[in-house]
Amino acid sequence: MVKLIFLVNLIGLAYGWYYGRPAPDLMTRGGVWPLPQAVTTYNNFTHNIDPASFQFTINLSNCDIIDKAFQRYMTWMFPFKQRYMTWMFPFKQGFPTGTNKSSITLTQLNVIVNKCDNGYPQMEMNEQYTLVMDPSSPTATLIAEEVWGALRGLESFSHLVFKGANNNWFVKTATIIDKPRFQHRGTMLDSSRHFISISLIKRNLELMAMNKMNVFHWHLTDSESFPYQSLKFPEMSAQGAFTPMHVYNQSQIKDVIDYARLLGIRVVAEFDTPGHMGAWGLGRPGLLASCYSDGNDLGYGPDGKTILSNIIDPTKQENLQFIKDFFDEALHLFPDNYMHFGGDETIDYQNSCWLNNSDISAWMKNNSMANNNTQLLNYYLTNLVKSVQNVSSTAKMIFWQEVLDQNVAPNSSIAHVWKGGNYNASMEEMFNVTRDGHLAIYSSCWYLNYIKYGAVWGYDNSTNFFRDRGMYYECDPTGFNGTDQQKSLVLGGEVCMWGEMVDGTNLIPRLWPNAGAAAERLWSDPAQTKSANAAWPRFHEHRCRLLARGYQVEPPNDPDFCYDEYDPVFQAPTPPAMATTAVPTGAQTPPATTVSAGAQTSPSMNVSTGTKTMTTTTVPTGGSGKIEFAGIVLLVSIILLLL
């Protein structure tokens, strides 16, 4: 019994609560996420900071990226919608223990950037920055070689700012020297299975910037729909999208690219070929191969043998020309030097759609391929590579790893690794890809669309299966037993949000803040970020920070709270005012019409604040009487005024 009491007390000391879990209030004040490479905090010294008088300055003029960033961060640092009362932090972690409160107010942050980049961010962008704060000075300094580093430094500075009791603001005094561990830190969104609005895509971009992620991988098309507007081939979206409303036109796409630029985020488009092309065929008859069951596939149609077409017919020259022309347009629309060309899961269709198709199999035999459909895949990819290189000699091609597994990958292609049911298996995939000399991007561990229960952001259970639990914080893209040369080929990783069960209603809470666990793994020094338990107080504060900024991010851990909980304004529906219509004497009274109050009131969400507003539409009466008389009086009054 004594041993049990001792164990319970020991757990309480370790985790801050006697249930063996972190205390609900266990969070830092002014903790930076992701953890910077080097931080000096001056014994937790803090400055006062006054939102009304604080200002940013910069040594350059007409630098739109920094100018717009200053506007954003004044809002993000001081979200005045917070409903802090004069509570005095009921839990012990309310104000940092041992904090030295200062009488000095930090009045400004001077940003020094060597050059302002008017272009778009690329893989090679420099995101390094140095933030210098002196406990005795009212001025802080942020130094960066490029604007991209300045953006990351501004985000870190905003994390140092926190709200104390009695509506006072403080900034944790720190000097930070920082740069990312990996160049490629991305989030993939699939907007073809369920359409995601432009406003939500932008909100996700903002959350990416708040976590220092720098690649938006946009999975635009798939078997189910083709929502991308091609000006060369408008019939593709006209026939392949769910409806005309479920289409991204090119002005909207450019808007996303330009907004991402202001946040230091690259937009890498994915057009998945030669498989996952079902919706392509709706707007391009003859593009896809007709597929036939060989007894091992599920048949569709009256004969029970035909299966849905989902892969291109590469034996037709007109199809190869179409692919060339399509990517010619896409490569000019998207300014990034990298584009994702898919290539996954084609093996599921190669037999049914190529070998079982008599026309294609005959073509293969006539071209010395016999029954080797891998040679046909290689033929298609070889033509694809030539088409891309003819358009842009600098374009880098990313493929899902199957293209490399089948030994048909073009030279210098980048492998996007997604296979491996558990961490060890995924590390074998990374080992194999890098052993063959390919650059690699890792995603196997970070499929956040999987529905799971528990603290999946940082912990694992004994099964070690990704579909069962998360390990988001514990996965490392270079965790395989390879050489230093192999590990140098790892560009980074991406969090993936596939859209089969995700749309605008659950995108943000499903993705955030858990994606932040991968963000720290991709940015921070692994030697300093080994423990999810040690990271939790900062992660807890970061989740509360995102919540205070107006983003509906779900709880990632055990029971806890934020001082500013998500609480959208509620307004009950009210019936619209009913207009009165005079009925002439002796006229037949029209039948009464009952209008449902709920049908006339439409709630709308303000995406920038998370608050709801009610818009009421009054049904026109169409009568005469008082309304017509009032209109005549108004018209006469206007005429008299003009005279």
Side-chain angles (χ1 to χ4, degrees), residues 463-498:
T463 65
N464 200 28
F465 287 109
F466 291 146
R467 287 179 180 268
D468 183 31
R469 294 298 294 273
M471 286 187 72
Y472 303 148
Y473 192 79
E474 297 174 0
C475 290
D476 187 335
T478 59
F480 55 91
N481 293 321
T483 65
D484 290 342
Q485 174 62 26
Q486 283 180 258
K487 294 184 179 183
S488 70
L489 296 173
V490 179
L491 297 175
E494 289 182 5
V495 167
C496 293
M497 183 57 67
W498 294 102

Side-chain angles (χ1 to χ4, degrees), residues 32-40 127-130 156 175-183 185 212 519-529 538:
V32 180
W33 191 277
L35 185 69
Q37 300 289 335
V39 184
T40 303
E127 298 173 276
Q128 185 171 352
Y129 69 91
T130 300
S156 290
T175 292
I176 296 174
I177 301 174
D178 201 12
K179 64 179 180 180
R181 179 186 176 197
F182 292 107
Q183 295 172 292
R185 308 178 308 281
K212 297 189 178 73
E520 178 148 299
R521 180 57 55 237
L522 293 169
W523 179 280
S524 305
D525 177 9
Q528 300 182 61
T529 52
R538 278 186 306 108

Side-chain angles (χ1 to χ4, degrees), residues 125-409:
M125 62 178 162
N126 186 344
E127 298 173 276
Q128 185 171 352
Y129 69 91
T130 300
L131 178 64
V132 179
M133 300 174 68
D134 188 324
S136 62
S137 174
T139 301
T141 303
L142 173 61
I143 304 170
E145 178 70 24
E146 298 181 3
V147 291
W148 321 117
L151 291 177
R152 308 305 174 227
L154 285 169
E155 185 61 40
S156 290
F157 178 78
S158 75
H159 292 192
L160 296 170
V161 176
F162 63 95
K163 185 124 178 189
N166 301 317
N167 294 321
N168 293 322
W169 291 90
F170 300 92
V171 56
K172 188 173 182 179
T173 307
T175 292
I176 296 174
I177 301 174
D178 201 12
K179 64 179 180 180
R181 179 186 176 197
F182 292 107
Q183 295 172 292
H184 189 108
R185 308 178 308 281
T187 297
M188 190 223 72
L189 291 188
D190 168 14
S191 61
S192 60
R193 272 59 179 263
H194 281 97
F195 189 84
I196 305 295
S197 70
I198 295 296
S199 62
L200 278 172
I201 289 174
K202 287 183 175 181
R203 282 176 68 76
N204 185 67
L205 289 171
E206 291 175 344
L207 284 160
M208 288 175 62
M210 294 174 191
N211 290 269
K212 297 189 178 73
M213 300 185 91
N214 67 352
V215 180
F216 170 37
H217 171 178
W218 196 351
H219 186 87
L220 274 162
T221 62
D222 213 292
S223 308
E224 290 78 9
S225 79
F226 194 101
Y228 164 78
Q229 181 199 50
S230 166
L231 298 182
K232 282 188 176 181
F233 305 101
E235 68 278 5
M236 299 298 290
S237 58
Q239 301 298 323
F242 291 135
T243 75
M245 295 183 297
H246 295 84
V247 175
Y248 302 107
N249 63 48
Q250 294 209 359
S251 64
Q252 291 174 313
I253 293 171
K254 291 176 182 177
D255 183 37
V256 168
I257 294 170
D258 289 339
Y259 192 64
R261 168 185 172 268
L262 295 175
L263 300 167
I265 295 174
R266 301 161 49 211
V267 178
V268 175
E270 180 188 353
F271 298 98
D272 200 352
T273 72
H276 285 276
M277 294 182 70
W280 295 57
L282 298 175
R284 191 79 181 176
L287 178 67
L288 303 183
S290 297
C291 308
Y292 304 92
S293 174
D294 58 6
N296 296 317
D297 303 303
L298 179 62
Y300 295 90
D303 59 1
K305 295 181 180 180
T306 304
I307 64 175
L308 291 176
S309 299
N310 206 24
I311 192 170
I312 194 171
D313 181 350
T315 65
K316 296 179 180 179
Q317 190 60 39
E318 60 268 27
N319 289 346
L320 298 179
Q321 183 63 43
F322 163 77
I323 290 294
K324 179 180 183 296
D325 294 339
F326 177 86
F327 281 110
D328 183 14
E329 179 185 19
L331 287 163
H332 283 97
L333 176 61
F334 291 90
D336 200 83
N337 290 334
Y338 288 71
M339 183 170 281
H340 205 302
F341 295 87
D344 61 317
E345 299 177 325
T346 60
I347 198 169
D348 297 337
Y349 299 97
Q350 286 171 216
N351 285 343
S352 300
C353 306
W354 288 350
L355 290 187
N356 294 351
N357 183 308
S358 58
D359 292 335
I360 294 177
S361 62
W363 185 94
M364 292 171 63
K365 292 175 182 177
N366 291 336
N367 287 271
S368 304
M369 296 182 187
N371 290 328
N372 190 339
N373 55 38
T374 300
Q375 289 188 26
L376 184 57
L377 178 62
N378 191 15
Y379 170 79
Y380 168 77
L381 292 171
T382 299
N383 279 276
L384 174 63
V385 172
K386 288 180 180 178
S387 297
V388 170
Q389 290 177 343
N390 287 338
V391 174
S392 172
S393 59
T394 61
K396 306 293 193 304
M397 304 182 72
I398 306 172
F399 293 95
W400 295 107
Q401 69 180 92
E402 288 95 321
V403 176
L404 293 97
D405 292 343
Q406 296 189 61
N407 296 316
V408 292

Side-chain angles (χ1 to χ4, degrees), residues 426-490:
S426 71
M427 287 298 101
E428 289 181 15
E429 300 286 351
M430 291 294 289
F431 175 85
N432 293 336
V433 165
T434 56
R435 177 199 59 200
D436 295 337
H438 294 289
L439 296 168
I441 297 167
Y442 178 72
S443 284
S444 303
C445 178
W446 295 318
Y447 270 43
L448 270 62
N449 51 287
Y450 290 158
I451 299 174
K452 308 169 188 179
Y453 186 79
V456 299
W457 73 275
Y459 307 98
D460 179 39
N461 66 1
S462 58
T463 65
N464 200 28
F465 287 109
F466 291 146
R467 287 179 180 268
D468 183 31
R469 294 298 294 273
M471 286 187 72
Y472 303 148
Y473 192 79
E474 297 174 0
C475 290
D476 187 335
T478 59
F480 55 91
N481 293 321
T483 65
D484 290 342
Q485 174 62 26
Q486 283 180 258
K487 294 184 179 183
S488 70
L489 296 173
V490 179

Side-chain angles (χ1 to χ4, degrees), residues 473-588:
Y473 192 79
E474 297 174 0
C475 290
D476 187 335
T478 59
F480 55 91
N481 293 321
T483 65
D484 290 342
Q485 174 62 26
Q486 283 180 258
K487 294 184 179 183
S488 70
L489 296 173
V490 179
L491 297 175
E494 289 182 5
V495 167
C496 293
M497 183 57 67
W498 294 102
E500 288 89 348
M501 305 295 292
V502 175
D503 67 2
T505 63
N506 61 346
L507 170 67
I508 297 299
R510 180 75 66 85
L511 190 53
W512 302 100
N514 285 330
E520 178 148 299
R521 180 57 55 237
L522 293 169
W523 179 280
S524 305
D525 177 9
Q528 300 182 61
T529 52
K530 292 181 177 180
S531 169
N533 284 332
W536 167 244
R538 278 186 306 108
F539 199 40
H540 185 187
E541 181 190 13
H542 188 52
R543 186 254 171 172
C544 293
R545 179 185 297 121
L546 302 179
L547 206 64
R549 292 180 179 184
Y551 299 88
Q552 194 173 353
V553 294
E554 69 180 17
N557 218 33
D558 292 302
D560 57 45
F561 68 92
C562 295
Y563 291 108
D564 189 57
E565 298 288 357
Y566 182 74
D567 185 18
V569 175
F570 172 78
Q571 183 176 346
T574 56
M578 301 301 294
T580 303
T581 303
V583 180
T585 304
Q588 183 177 359

